[in-house]
Amino acid sequence: MQFLPPRMRFRLFDLNPEQEKAVRTIDGPLLILAGAGTGKTRVITARVAYLIAQGVAPEHILAVTFTNKAANEMRERLATMVEKEQVKRVTMSTFHALCVRILRGGIDRLGYKNNFSIYDESDQLGLIKKIITRTAARDEKIDPHLAKNLISKAKNNGWSAPKDDQTLISAVFTRYQVELKNLNAVDFDDLLLLTVKLLAEHNEVRAKWQERFRYLMVDEFQDTNRLQLELVSLIADAHKNVAVVGDDDQSIYGWRGAEVSNILEFEHHFPNPTVVKLEQNYRSTNAILGTANSLIKNNPRRRAKQLWSAHASGENVRVVQMPDDREEAKFVAEDIQRRNFAENVVWKNFAVLYRMNAQSRLIEENLRRLHIPYRLVGGKSFFDRREIKDVLAYATCLLNADDDVSLLRIINTPARGIGPAVVERALEHSVHAKCSLFKSLQSPDFLETLSVRARTAISEFAGMLDSFETRIHTPLTDHAEILRELITKTTYLDDLKRTCKSPDEALDRENNVQNIFNDLAQYQQRSSGGLQGFLDEVSLDQDREKDKEDDQHGVTLITLHAAKGLEFPHVYLIGLEEDLLPHSRSKIEGTVDEERRLLYVGITRAMSTLTMSWCRTRMKFGSAAPGHPSSFIKELAPELIEHVDFVKLMNTPVQEDTAKSRFAQLRAALKSA
């Protein structure tokens, strides 16, 4: 039977045989090994549609991935296959969004209130800095960023703070967890840790979610850590219908806790699975795929796969030896300009990939020199901007005034007579009284220690928050309008403009604040989650800035790690030198295999052409250092590689016919202008 029921708007024979097998296998554990560019998103969405066609209720289906962008893409594709009402009933979300959903209805069993706040990275750092100041002796020091990273690593490994350890980091870890709980707050790592704890320790909660999600799919399984595997196992344990999609050859996030063993040892966690390999690539030429295959086969611990394409072989991969990194950047920019001119390739079809962020600077200089538009992926996030964090802190305090980090951010922003000295005394009082900062500000014995002016300022501030808090909890109110009124009442925007260096900056920052109000208003139209739901979405939505970048037209400059999941017709992969790729640190830490996978990811981003380069000399820390070709270059299939002489390449003229054709296009364009 090739056709699905009438309400289904896709056909199984549009899939290749392996894809169809993955879609039709709906019972029991399923491991889908999806190589780069083999259509895994299509398979996931088709499988969800097939489950619905087989009579599975949409609300019993859960598809989990790592980014909101990926979840939204799956949802949009599914909407072309099944009815919209059915799409709404399917749960497609990130791991963290799923955890928030579970915790909102059950975290009270772990001693928290269900209206907990979610701390982002800057909130965490603020709290950790405060704890270090209180905890460290005069001769003790620890970097707050290091402390945060160590705490995060410990949580992702499922470790608790050691009770008998006298080190400063253990004391900070212990105090940090106590403070978070006192503030009724959790960080991103807690979302996973507490969800696993809740499901593991409370049978009735676990049974509820197991019954709700009878069919579970996990995307990018090679990127899961130990806690995420535990979460999947706990939910899937009752019905065993768990399908995971991933590629061990693209496991490049070991440094942040991803466990490639989760996919390599899938049979250990979910016995007797069906295993389907997707090896037909729909993205790249066979020359590019053959180069990638020849590299990755050198990793000893992997599941064998051989990518292939039904398309032509294509151009061989170029490996260019450069005299130095300045010439490398000059060559890349000018080669992009040449292709744009001679072959009429638009700017957005080019990408420059690199191992380290610092490598982008020279490329940027040369693209600017040639007036070539570009976008640097990984710039400052919209939600990290000062004015956005201020407005969101006000919003958080309307729901949870006991959130110390948010309250500290807005208590004197704009200035309202509650200065640093008053705040410091309030913090000391809150520590001794073991209560939140907001409660200290309202404590009669604390207020008696202040001047009349300070007491008045605090009273007005607390009264303002109380009145708006009452309004926000009134049924059927417009939360966006209430937040807008609060910000207006505080004269925050006027104060913000005064601190700007130029009218353009003031206008830009004011527009950013207005965008938050608009985002909240739009959220209210599509969801009943209210202000709390909006703040949850903002906390979890780490891809929003990236989504905006994707709309821009220009050459993409991006790290190899950030490029995963993307594709570009013409790719330049720079800095293919020993100790840069593979990175020198990988040899010490024994992670050269992951560096090889990183290069494999870079190679498989290319669709039509791939140029890789290495430099005999590269500037490091202000001085020229000798460079040597990456040991990975020797592993590439020689019949698919064209080793290019840099001087000869730069002196190669544009073919006469191509140049005439391009000039004809320019003349035609000028005449029509």
Side-chain angles (χ1 to χ4, degrees), residues 369-381:
R369 174 176 61 84
L370 298 175
H371 304 290
I372 296 173
Y374 69 89
R375 63 192 188 99
L376 181 66
V377 176
K380 190 171 187 179
S381 166

Side-chain angles (χ1 to χ4, degrees), residues 99-113:
C99 290
V100 170
R101 184 174 182 174
I102 293 171
L103 291 174
R104 285 285 176 213
I107 199 173
D108 54 306
R109 290 169 173 81
L110 302 178
Y112 292 79
K113 288 184 283 188

Side-chain angles (χ1 to χ4, degrees), residues 161-180:
K163 295 178 181 177
D164 55 351
D165 192 339
Q166 299 302 309
T167 62
L168 177 58
I169 182 59
S170 76
V172 170
F173 186 2
T174 302
R175 191 67 214 162
Y176 173 70
Q177 283 305 102
V178 170
E179 291 271 340
L180 271 182

Side-chain angles (χ1 to χ4, degrees), residues 182-413:
N182 288 342
L183 295 167
N184 195 39
V186 299
D187 61 27
F188 267 66
D189 299 313
D190 285 329
L191 290 175
L192 274 167
L193 193 65
L194 293 175
T195 304
V196 168
K197 182 179 174 66
L198 178 64
L199 294 179
E201 296 179 359
H202 296 272
N203 296 339
E204 76 286 2
V205 178
R206 184 171 68 254
K208 170 190 168 183
W209 292 103
Q210 287 175 343
E211 184 59 22
R212 172 66 189 274
F213 299 128
R214 301 178 192 178
Y215 292 85
L216 173 59
M217 296 190 68
V218 185
D219 189 19
E220 304 286 8
F221 193 67
Q222 77 282 345
D223 295 336
T224 54
N225 60 25
R226 190 178 72 79
L227 281 174
Q228 286 158 339
L229 174 63
E230 282 188 50
L231 176 61
V232 171
S233 299
L234 284 164
I235 295 174
D237 188 52
H239 299 283
K240 312 294 183 187
N241 297 322
V242 55
V244 306
V245 187
D247 181 9
D248 52 297
D249 290 334
Q250 295 186 74
S251 179
I252 58 173
Y253 298 121
W255 49 277
R256 70 181 190 197
E259 301 262 6
V260 69
S261 60
N262 288 354
I263 195 167
L264 292 175
E265 300 167 8
F266 182 77
E267 291 86 345
H268 173 73
H269 304 291
F270 304 97
N272 304 314
T274 301
V275 180
V276 179
K277 290 184 184 181
L278 304 183
E279 297 172 297
Q280 183 176 355
N281 178 282
Y282 295 92
R283 174 188 298 157
S284 309
T285 66
N286 277 307
I288 291 169
L289 296 177
T291 301
N293 288 333
S294 65
L295 171 75
I296 202 64
K297 72 179 183 183
N298 291 281
N299 267 5
R301 193 164 175 251
R302 62 182 289 264
R303 290 180 181 266
K305 291 176 291 296
Q306 190 79 2
L307 295 181
W308 61 277
S309 172
H311 301 310
S313 293
E315 296 179 21
N316 275 7
V317 173
R318 293 190 298 177
V319 176
V320 188
Q321 176 184 315
M322 299 288 181
D324 57 48
D325 48 351
R326 288 199 166 275
E327 288 290 354
E328 179 184 54
K330 184 171 180 284
F331 158 73
V332 168
E334 291 179 355
D335 200 55
I336 289 173
Q337 184 187 54
R338 178 188 64 79
R339 280 189 182 273
N340 167 261
F341 178 78
E343 301 170 24
N344 202 23
V345 181
V346 296
W347 301 123
K348 68 177 182 179
N349 285 352
F350 296 99
V352 184
L353 277 55
Y354 36 83
R355 178 68 176 80
M356 308 292 288
N357 273 307
Q359 291 171 257
S360 72
R361 186 179 60 83
L362 290 175
I363 301 289
E364 286 187 78
E365 284 181 11
N366 280 275
L367 291 175
R368 284 198 298 266
R369 174 176 61 84
L370 298 175
H371 304 290
I372 296 173
Y374 69 89
R375 63 192 188 99
L376 181 66
V377 176
K380 190 171 187 179
S381 166
F382 176 77
F383 291 97
D384 282 337
R385 296 170 190 260
R386 169 168 59 99
E387 63 275 17
I388 301 306
K389 293 194 75 65
D390 287 344
V391 172
L392 292 178
Y394 269 106
T396 300
C397 285
L398 287 182
L399 297 172
N400 181 14
D402 292 333
D403 185 321
D404 280 9
V405 170
S406 295
L407 190 66
L408 283 168
R409 187 171 189 96
I410 67 167
I411 194 169
N412 208 40
T413 304

Side-chain angles (χ1 to χ4, degrees), residues 382-383 388 391-392 394-396 398-399 472 477-487 512-538 544:
F382 176 77
F383 291 97
I388 301 306
V391 172
L392 292 178
Y394 269 106
T396 300
L398 287 182
L399 297 172
I472 211 80
T477 54
D478 184 341
H479 290 182
E481 187 55 36
I482 290 172
L483 183 60
R484 190 192 300 270
E485 286 182 32
L486 172 61
I487 298 302
N512 289 339
V513 172
Q514 297 301 335
N515 283 336
I516 281 292
F517 298 146
N518 294 339
D519 284 353
L520 176 53
Q522 289 171 13
Y523 175 83
Q524 289 177 144
Q525 291 176 2
R526 60 182 166 83
S527 174
S528 59
L531 184 57
Q532 182 67 71
F534 175 71
L535 291 174
D536 286 346
E537 184 170 278
V538 167
R544 190 174 296 196

Side-chain angles (χ1 to χ4, degrees), residues 436-457:
S436 70
L437 177 62
F438 190 67
K439 286 187 172 61
S440 281
L441 290 172
Q442 297 175 303
S443 169
D445 58 341
F446 168 70
L447 291 171
E448 286 175 4
T449 67
L450 303 179
S451 66
V452 174
R453 184 179 176 185
R455 286 202 301 270
T456 303

